[in-house]
Amino acid sequence: MAFTGRRDVPEPPDFAILKRLARDQLIYLLEQLPGKKDLFIEADLMSPLDRIANVSILKQHEVDKLYKVESRPAPSASDQFCFLVRPRIRTMRYIADIINADKMSGRNRKYKIIFSPQKFYACEMVLEEEGVFGDVTCDEWSFYLLPLDEDIISMELPEFFRDYFLEGDHRWINSVARALQLLSSLYGPFGKAYGIGRCAKMSYELWRDLEEESEGEGQGRKPEIGNIFLMDRDTDYVTALCSQVVYEGLVDDTFRIKCGSVDFGPDVTSSDKSIKVLLNAQDKVFSQIRNEHFSSVFGFLSQKSRNLQAQYDRRRGMDIKQMKNFVSQELKGLKQEHRLLSLHIGACESIMKKKTKQDFQEMMKAEHSLLEGFDIRESTSFIEEHIDRQVSPIDSLRLMCLLSITENGLNPKDYRSLKTQYLQSYGPEHLLTFHNLKRIGLLTEQSAGDTLTAVESKVSRLVTDRAAGKITDAFSSLARKSNFRAISKKLGLIPRVDGEYDLKMPRDMAYVFSGAYVPLSCKIIEQVLERRGWLGLEEVVRLLNGNEFAVSDSTVEDNPTWDYQRVILAVFLGGCTFSEIAALRFLGKERGFKFIFLTTAITNSTRMMEAMIETKA
């Protein structure tokens, strides 16, 4: 797959079928409980469900009242309760409490639990312990994949990151493998599979096992996706920790995009109402600015505003027939575009106000220094001042983690000093947070890391079987060396430019971080695709702690000129940022690829830090 300059980008597959399959299966499961029923929905399933089947569809299938799981239901006359939930132990206890309360009051009902995306044995055990297992029927809603846009599919499993990378819980790997099996069955076999990371390797191997069991349902179909690349989030923590500066990333950092939509408050809408806006390629304004560096967005929006005004002004010289055509064919579209334009201008103004308050430029300067390895002492002082001023507990943690990873751990004196200052500023209850960050390898001390990594390397040489993987997992989670500086040098992650970096006409993926840094995750994907494997990247792989693979499917013909060979499914296990999506979209345009993104969830630095924070006294 040699790169030959800018080429036409192939069309992505149509993922609308994924929504239809999920909706049809849910309707089938609801109909298994005939008659009127009350539906209890887990809070974090509400937004994904809204994208699949709205309230009116649920009502059509005899859902009477809707409740949010965890809220106490009002006394209900319904004879049937249906629970649509994630497989969580606390949720099982909630359901058991409702059933046991009904038993105590002599109320007789039917109960059905629909697990999404699958049920776990531990959940059934809890129901049995609570004495209600015999009272419920259980089903699975295999809702693995939610298309958020024409090129983004999310599993909507934000807990994957903490469960796997911190707790070492492998239960979601089965869900990833089944998601890949579904895609493979719908869009034909993938010609080549690449990956890096222990989770990526396990997911790939389990998926291949499932394919063999099902005798490859996708075999014989015309392939629509040529290559798949699986990557663990811990291969590149640095990119996820950096402040985002492309428009979509900034909107996510500022307003929090949830399930492909965002709530713009009164400060954006210039009214007393909030508006929920779906952010995707159908939004004509958003689709043109989503991947742009923020510094270019205002200029584009003001030009767009002038163009719209010019189109409105055309009415003045029209006769009646022309006016009639204008009203029937163009006016509605112009009004919609004007509404969206106003919202995005409002969002930009709101972002500017918030970032000015937060000393955003100073923060960016500190981040760029950390990435480049210059003025480390000055950056450390900035972090200390940030902590002392109590600007933001999340940002303070994020900057400390960025310092730690880029410097391959903090020296013990700096670690103790920063930790003490943080606990004094934000409370001693964050002691557990520091424990978590150390375990996952985000905030470590140099000396401890060196010792454990040496032990870990000896263990990994001695044992190679799967059971021993848990031992090496334990060591690497306790103190994993990042080797960022050496990797950065090997891959040229810090561009060397004479003069100003042109953000309006970027020349490489570094534009997503103002020209200061090429995202490591995206650079790895670029290099592996260019080389069609890991050959020549052995030193990089060693520094990234290995677990790389490259496998070809012998049943798929290999012809780089075919369109589907240039469609690449990039799978991020543990979350993907909008900066990475923008960078790979840029690479795709430059090199004639179409990237499709499959992620366990959309992430950013705030979500990553929140997953680590523990404040239990």
Side-chain angles (χ1 to χ4, degrees):
M1 193 179 295
F3 291 160
T4 54
R6 192 182 273 264
R7 291 169 63 183
D8 290 338
V9 177
E11 285 298 305
D14 180 10
F15 295 117
I17 189 173
L18 293 172
K19 284 187 180 180
R20 288 198 300 274
L21 284 171
R23 183 170 58 244
D24 291 349
Q25 192 196 7
L26 178 62
I27 288 168
Y28 172 78
L29 292 171
L30 289 173
E31 286 176 347
Q32 296 299 296
L33 200 62
K36 285 201 166 189
K37 55 199 144 283
D38 288 353
L39 181 62
F40 295 74
I41 307 171
E42 191 114 39
D44 58 0
L45 272 171
M46 283 183 160
S47 291
L49 179 63
D50 198 40
R51 298 288 300 264
I52 297 293
N54 57 29
V55 174
S56 62
I57 290 174
L58 298 176
K59 296 282 185 191
Q60 284 167 29
H61 296 278
E62 299 187 279
V63 170
D64 188 19
K65 292 188 178 72
L66 289 167
Y67 296 99
K68 190 195 269 190
V69 163
E70 298 301 342
S71 63
R72 280 287 128 202
S76 173
S78 177
D79 290 330
Q80 302 189 111
F81 280 179
C82 186
F83 301 90
L84 182 58
V85 297
R86 293 288 191 207
R88 292 176 185 142
I89 285 174
R90 70 170 186 269
T91 311
M92 296 306 102
R93 298 201 194 285
Y94 165 82
I95 293 170
D97 286 348
I98 288 175
I99 297 171
N100 283 324
D102 279 352
K103 282 181 178 177
M104 291 279 286
S105 63
R107 189 76 173 79
N108 209 10
R109 295 187 226 259
K110 281 186 182 175
Y111 307 97
K112 182 184 184 72
I113 303 174
I114 301 173
F115 293 95
S116 178
Q118 62 188 98
K119 71 180 172 195
F120 294 135
Y121 176 66
C123 294
E124 294 182 333
M125 287 292 291
V126 172
L127 293 171
E128 205 165 319
E129 281 168 20
E130 297 287 336
V132 298
F133 185 64
D135 301 295
V136 299
T137 54
C138 296
D139 258 312
E140 289 181 334
W141 182 30
S142 309
F143 179 31
Y144 296 108
L145 300 167
L146 174 66
L148 298 179
D149 207 342
E150 60 185 25
D151 62 349
I152 304 175
I153 307 168
S154 174
M155 293 184 71
E156 289 301 304
L157 291 174
E159 63 260 57
F160 185 103
F161 175 66
R162 183 186 167 103
D163 284 356
Y164 179 81
F165 293 102
L166 180 65
E167 309 290 354
D169 188 340
H170 292 185
R171 63 187 173 147
W172 295 116
I173 288 173
N174 185 265
S175 299
V176 173
R178 290 193 182 279
L180 293 174
Q181 185 187 26
L182 176 59
L183 284 173
S184 177
S185 70
L186 292 171
Y187 303 103
F190 310 134
K192 279 195 168 60
Y194 307 104
I196 185 159
R198 184 178 288 279
C199 184
K201 203 166 192 176
M202 285 193 289
S203 301
Y204 173 77
E205 286 169 358
L206 181 55
W207 164 48
R208 294 314 303 166
D209 290 346
L210 291 173
E211 286 286 292
E212 282 173 27
E213 283 171 25
S214 66
E215 296 171 351
E217 289 170 20
Q219 301 296 335
R221 291 181 68 102
K222 184 189 171 194
E224 292 182 63
I225 298 171
N227 300 269
I228 178 172
F229 199 114
L230 293 95
M231 183 177 290
D232 285 11
R233 182 69 271 171
D234 67 353
T235 301
D236 175 16
Y237 280 142
V238 170
T239 299
L241 288 169
C242 290
S243 296
Q244 302 194 81
V245 286
V246 291
Y247 180 66
E248 190 165 14
L250 265 170
V251 170
D252 189 36
D253 284 355
T254 311
F255 304 102
R256 198 173 282 238
I257 297 171
K258 193 176 176 185
C259 219
S261 62
V262 66
D263 283 315
F264 283 140
D267 56 327
V268 173
T269 62
S270 303
S271 68
D272 54 355
K273 290 180 184 172
S274 292
I275 296 176
K276 191 174 186 176
V277 180
L278 200 59
L279 298 174
N280 59 23
Q282 268 65 59
D283 180 333
K284 285 184 182 176
V285 178
F286 177 70
S287 62
Q288 291 176 282
I289 57 175
R290 66 191 310 178
N291 304 313
E292 296 297 314
H293 189 277
F294 191 64
S295 61
S296 310
V297 173
F298 261 124
F300 172 85
L301 292 176
S302 57
Q303 182 60 51
K304 186 89 178 165
S305 185
R306 285 194 291 274
N307 293 348
L308 264 182
Q309 192 56 54
Q311 284 177 278
Y312 273 124
D313 291 346
R314 281 174 35 230
R315 294 174 298 177
R316 287 176 187 160
M318 289 180 181
D319 59 29
I320 292 172
K321 190 179 177 185
Q322 288 171 323
M323 181 63 81
K324 191 177 175 184
N325 284 339
F326 176 78
V327 170
S328 62
Q329 292 171 23
E330 293 181 53
L331 189 59
K332 190 180 176 186
L334 287 175
K335 280 185 173 177
Q336 170 70 351
E337 213 167 326
H338 184 266
R339 187 184 76 87
L340 292 169
L341 187 62
S342 299
L343 283 172
H344 289 297
I345 289 171
C348 283
E349 288 170 343
S350 183
I351 289 168
M352 286 290 285
K353 278 179 200 163
K354 284 172 184 167
K355 294 303 177 190
T356 307
K357 271 186 194 171
Q358 293 168 358
D359 297 332
F360 193 58
Q361 291 305 322
E362 286 298 306
M363 181 123 48
M364 295 296 295
K365 189 181 162 194
E367 283 182 33
H368 292 175
S369 295
L370 293 175
L371 292 166
E372 292 165 17
F374 297 133
D375 302 325
I376 297 301
R377 187 42 52 198
E378 200 178 304
S379 299
T380 307
S381 299
F382 175 82
I383 296 170
E384 287 174 331
E385 186 191 331
H386 198 273
I387 293 168
D388 292 342
R389 286 167 51 213
Q390 299 182 337
V391 179
S392 155
I394 293 282
D395 272 337
S396 296
L397 266 189
R398 177 178 70 80
L399 291 167
M400 286 159 67
C401 291
L402 196 56
L403 172 63
S404 171
I405 289 186
T406 51
E407 288 299 293
N408 215 351
L410 303 177
N411 70 56
K413 185 184 168 191
D414 282 347
Y415 180 84
R416 284 194 296 271
S417 169
L418 286 167
K419 181 178 175 181
T420 303
Q421 288 175 71
Y422 189 92
L423 295 173
Q424 285 172 349
S425 277
Y426 297 114
E429 64 271 19
H430 281 286
L431 264 170
L432 276 171
T433 303
F434 280 86
H435 171 71
N436 290 344
L437 291 169
K438 199 167 193 174
R439 263 182 74 189
I440 205 169
L442 278 167
L443 187 55
T444 59
E445 288 179 83
Q446 279 169 356
S447 56
D450 292 342
T451 310
L452 281 167
T453 308
V455 175
E456 190 237 345
S457 64
K458 284 177 188 170
V459 171
S460 61
R461 279 200 299 272
L462 287 168
V463 286
T464 54
D465 65 316
R466 281 192 184 185
K470 291 206 172 185
I471 303 170
T472 50
D473 263 356
F475 280 117
S476 57
S477 66
L478 276 168
R480 179 184 171 133
K481 289 184 77 171
S482 76
N483 300 314
F484 175 76
R485 209 65 74 207
I487 294 165
S488 176
K489 198 173 176 185
K490 282 271 174 202
L491 292 175
L493 300 182
I494 311 298
R496 297 280 169 246
V497 259
D498 298 323
E500 285 283 305
Y501 187 99
D502 189 351
L503 294 168
K504 284 192 171 68
M505 297 289 289
R507 57 191 192 127
D508 57 25
M509 293 185 284
Y511 89 93
V512 301
F513 293 115
S514 304
Y517 162 68
V518 178
L520 169 58
S521 54
C522 304
K523 189 71 174 180
I524 292 169
I525 291 171
E526 178 199 48
Q527 289 294 305
V528 172
L529 290 176
E530 187 174 349
R531 297 160 192 267
R532 307 189 78 188
W534 296 94
L535 194 65
L537 295 170
E538 292 82 2
E539 182 61 14
V540 171
V541 165
R542 187 187 69 76
L543 291 166
L544 287 168
N545 299 301
N547 286 303
E548 83 291 356
F549 58 91
V551 187
S552 296
D553 187 333
S554 56
T555 65
V556 181
E557 288 187 65
D558 186 11
N559 186 335
T561 61
W562 291 343
D563 267 3
Y564 80 86
Q565 289 279 25
R566 291 183 287 125
V567 178
I568 294 121
L569 179 66
V571 184
F572 286 83
L573 302 169
C576 174
T577 67
F578 283 118
S579 297
E580 288 165 313
I581 290 171
L584 287 174
R585 281 175 179 152
F586 174 86
L587 180 68
K589 277 184 190 167
E590 290 293 299
R591 309 291 170 87
F593 293 142
K594 181 65 188 180
F595 283 98
I596 308 293
F597 303 92
L598 168 58
T599 179
T600 49
I602 295 293
T603 194
N604 58 19
S605 57
T606 301
R607 292 188 188 98
M608 253 176 74
M609 293 297 99
E610 284 172 351
M612 295 296 105
I613 285 178
E614 303 248 8
T615 54
K616 291 169 191 166

